[in-house]
Amino acid sequence: MKDLLKQWMKQKIIRRIAIGLGMTSLFFSIYSFSQPSQEVETKQINSIRTSTTYTLEARVKPNVLYPEGTTLHPKKAFTTALADQLLIHMTIKVDSNRPVKVKGSFNPELVIHADDLWTKSFKLKSGREFSQTCQDCQVEETMEVKVSELIQYLNHIEDSLQIHPSNYVFHIKPQLTGSIDDKGKTFSLQDGDGLHFNRQQTVLSLADKEKLQISETYPIKNVIQQTNNLDLCLLQIPVTPARIIFSLLTILLVTVVIFTSENRKQEDVPEYAWIDYKYRKLLTPVKMQVNLEACTELELESFASLMFISEEKESPIFRYENKHEVLYFVPDEPFVYYYITGKR
């Protein structure tokens, strides 16, 4: 019987340890599932800044105002009565924190829109290609429009066809096809679709929303994915293995608790052994056989009831056993309260 009780005690200790470890394992299991398995770190490794600038230059033929001729730099408009040639300087700048490759081509053309009546395209110059590898790159292109010849051409069409549009739009298109290459990452060069000029009588003016400068910034970022670790004191465990380990450990410890539960093992231990172990400090053993016939006997249904009587009467609980049974009693003349449990 003592061996059974020791075995139960051992299992009880194991059960308590398993419960403690199980709660800890459950906590770390839940915590591991709340953490991302990977950490994503984004680091900017380069920044590419591009700007496209248009500069206007009107060359004036000799006249009353400028006897020797001159060069004007209009911002928005100029008169064709003075200027017989329009130069559009296009400058593309690329600034980078490290060398990049800039390449592309120009195929400038002039497109004339005569209201909704007709449209005509002219090639301004032969196309050309460019290629540079640098940190501070600059690409330039100049497009020339011979204003006097253009006006003569339009007057000829009007006289020939007897068509007199109320407005002309001159669309100067660089037709830039270019890219910036930074170690395999490619970005397009922007030309803003060129410039639009409105012609009314002898005045050429830029369209209202036209911009002479456009700019773009392209940040180059490096995304690094690395395994996230759980810090357990001095030990670091990757999150994914930690999830598996703590989940399996929790299941194992719950299984241990179930199979060492008190209700399952208590069936193998007689009731008196439980009582003797649990209330050993409250019991007073007696060796002589007790004659209960001298008092009024009150048999109780449970040891708990006897405990209640003992506390109420402030009397000790006596214990007597023979070969077949164990007697627990509380004398209180003329009564004696007792509880009997058999041996197995």
Side-chain angles (χ1 to χ4, degrees), residues 101-238:
K101 186 175 183 179
V102 180
K103 64 178 181 178
S105 63
F106 290 104
N107 289 281
E109 69 175 7
L110 169 64
V111 181
I112 302 174
H113 301 275
D115 286 338
D116 293 329
L117 301 177
W118 56 269
T119 299
K120 184 72 173 179
S121 298
F122 300 92
K123 195 170 185 179
L124 292 178
K125 61 188 299 186
S126 299
R128 74 177 182 92
E129 296 181 350
F130 60 88
S131 180
Q132 299 180 19
T133 300
C134 50
Q135 283 186 245
D136 300 318
C137 303
Q138 181 168 311
V139 180
E140 296 181 349
E141 178 69 6
T142 299
M143 295 164 283
E144 178 184 357
V145 178
K146 296 180 180 180
V147 178
S148 58
E149 294 181 5
L150 182 60
I151 298 302
Q152 290 177 8
Y153 175 75
L154 296 178
N155 292 335
H156 176 69
I157 292 178
E158 289 183 3
D159 294 338
S160 299
L161 302 178
Q162 294 298 307
I163 297 175
H164 302 281
S166 60
N167 183 49
Y168 287 98
V169 175
F170 299 156
H171 184 189
I172 299 174
K173 303 170 64 176
Q175 293 205 122
L176 168 66
T177 302
S179 63
I180 307 168
D181 187 287
D182 180 17
K183 295 184 177 180
K185 293 186 177 181
T186 305
F187 306 93
S188 298
L189 287 174
Q190 304 293 327
D191 60 8
D193 195 31
L195 297 178
H196 294 76
F197 291 87
N198 294 318
R199 183 213 173 197
Q200 291 183 338
Q201 296 180 354
T202 61
V203 177
L204 276 180
S205 59
L206 279 173
D208 293 337
K209 296 183 180 181
E210 207 68 81
K211 293 182 179 180
L212 293 177
Q213 184 175 28
I214 57 175
S215 59
E216 291 284 346
T217 300
Y218 304 103
I220 310 297
K221 297 181 179 180
N222 189 21
V223 179
I224 302 174
Q225 290 187 347
Q226 56 185 7
T227 302
N228 190 21
N229 294 325
L230 290 183
D231 293 327
L232 306 178
C233 296
L234 300 178
L235 182 63
Q236 288 189 339
I237 304 177

Side-chain angles (χ1 to χ4, degrees), residues 30-156:
I30 295 173
Y31 179 70
S32 65
F33 277 99
S34 68
Q35 301 299 309
S37 59
Q38 289 187 330
E39 289 183 341
V40 179
E41 181 182 358
T42 303
K43 183 179 180 181
Q44 182 167 317
I45 56 178
N46 192 14
S47 178
I48 300 175
R49 298 162 295 280
T50 67
S51 65
T52 301
T53 305
Y54 291 98
T55 304
L56 304 181
E57 180 182 334
R59 292 184 179 177
V60 179
K61 59 188 175 182
N63 57 68
V64 175
L65 292 176
Y66 304 100
E68 298 181 359
T70 188
T71 300
L72 301 178
H73 297 280
K75 296 296 183 182
K76 287 290 185 179
F78 66 95
T79 175
T80 58
L82 295 177
D84 64 348
Q85 188 178 20
L86 175 63
L87 299 178
I88 301 172
H89 302 287
M90 180 181 182
T91 303
I92 300 173
K93 292 183 178 180
V94 178
D95 298 325
S96 175
N97 297 335
R98 64 188 183 190
V100 295
K101 186 175 183 179
V102 180
K103 64 178 181 178
S105 63
F106 290 104
N107 289 281
E109 69 175 7
L110 169 64
V111 181
I112 302 174
H113 301 275
D115 286 338
D116 293 329
L117 301 177
W118 56 269
T119 299
K120 184 72 173 179
S121 298
F122 300 92
K123 195 170 185 179
L124 292 178
K125 61 188 299 186
S126 299
R128 74 177 182 92
E129 296 181 350
F130 60 88
S131 180
Q132 299 180 19
T133 300
C134 50
Q135 283 186 245
D136 300 318
C137 303
Q138 181 168 311
V139 180
E140 296 181 349
E141 178 69 6
T142 299
M143 295 164 283
E144 178 184 357
V145 178
K146 296 180 180 180
V147 178
S148 58
E149 294 181 5
L150 182 60
I151 298 302
Q152 290 177 8
Y153 175 75
L154 296 178
N155 292 335
H156 176 69

Side-chain angles (χ1 to χ4, degrees), residues 205-319:
S205 59
L206 279 173
D208 293 337
K209 296 183 180 181
E210 207 68 81
K211 293 182 179 180
L212 293 177
Q213 184 175 28
I214 57 175
S215 59
E216 291 284 346
T217 300
Y218 304 103
I220 310 297
K221 297 181 179 180
N222 189 21
V223 179
I224 302 174
Q225 290 187 347
Q226 56 185 7
T227 302
N228 190 21
N229 294 325
L230 290 183
D231 293 327
L232 306 178
C233 296
L234 300 178
L235 182 63
Q236 288 189 339
I237 304 177
V239 169
T240 300
R243 292 174 180 175
I244 299 174
I245 292 172
F246 287 117
S247 297
L248 293 177
L249 184 59
T250 301
I251 295 173
L252 176 63
L253 292 171
V254 169
T255 304
V256 172
V257 172
I258 292 174
F259 280 93
T260 58
S261 62
E262 184 172 353
N263 291 334
R264 293 175 61 90
K265 295 302 178 183
Q266 191 172 356
E267 297 176 357
D268 300 329
V269 181
E271 184 183 13
Y272 79 90
W274 285 93
I275 295 174
D276 290 349
Y277 170 77
K278 191 171 183 179
Y279 303 103
R280 56 187 179 276
K281 294 182 179 180
L282 303 178
L283 302 178
T284 303
V286 293
K287 292 185 178 181
M288 296 180 59
Q289 185 174 0
V290 181
N291 183 12
L292 300 179
E293 295 179 357
C295 302
T296 302
E297 301 176 6
L298 296 176
E299 185 177 1
L300 304 178
E301 293 183 351
S302 65
F303 186 82
S305 300
L306 189 64
M307 284 284 298
F308 177 78
I309 296 296
S310 172
E311 292 175 358
E312 187 179 65
K313 303 298 183 180
E314 296 183 352
S315 176
I317 300 176
F318 295 94
R319 176 187 183 281

